[in-house]
Amino acid sequence: MKDRPAFQQMLADMKSGKINYIVAYKLDRVTRSVRDLEELIAQLELHNTYLVCDKDDVNTSSANR
């Protein structure tokens, strides 16, 4: 994720409280690495931010039913 400047800016905005939702069409547009996803989810939780991926039924703002 470090070689993606726009992604890094998005994370910086998240950390500064400018955003609280990250919305993506598919999860593979966010990351293709399970390790990176795990790190991202930890950061999301730390900064009270949620990830929503439309086509992959991912939404960290609520529990799956």
Side-chain angles (χ1 to χ4, degrees):
M1 291 191 297
K2 294 184 184 358
D3 59 342
R4 299 171 63 190
F7 192 84
Q8 293 302 315
Q9 181 60 53
M10 179 185 66
L11 293 179
D13 289 345
M14 174 191 70
K15 290 174 184 176
S16 69
K18 292 180 181 178
I19 61 173
N20 58 3
Y21 275 86
I22 296 172
V23 180
Y25 181 67
K26 291 180 69 177
L27 185 59
D28 70 355
R29 299 292 81 209
V30 178
T31 184
R32 294 183 182 170
S33 163
V34 174
R35 178 172 285 150
D36 287 347
L37 180 59
E38 182 180 13
E39 288 179 30
L40 176 61
I41 289 174
Q43 289 296 309
L44 292 171
E45 290 174 352
L46 184 64
H47 298 287
N48 297 316
T49 304
Y50 306 104
L51 174 65
V52 178
C53 296
D54 183 50
K55 292 296 176 186
D56 293 323
D57 197 27
V58 172
N59 184 342
T60 64
S61 68
S62 62
N64 287 342
R65 297 167 206 245

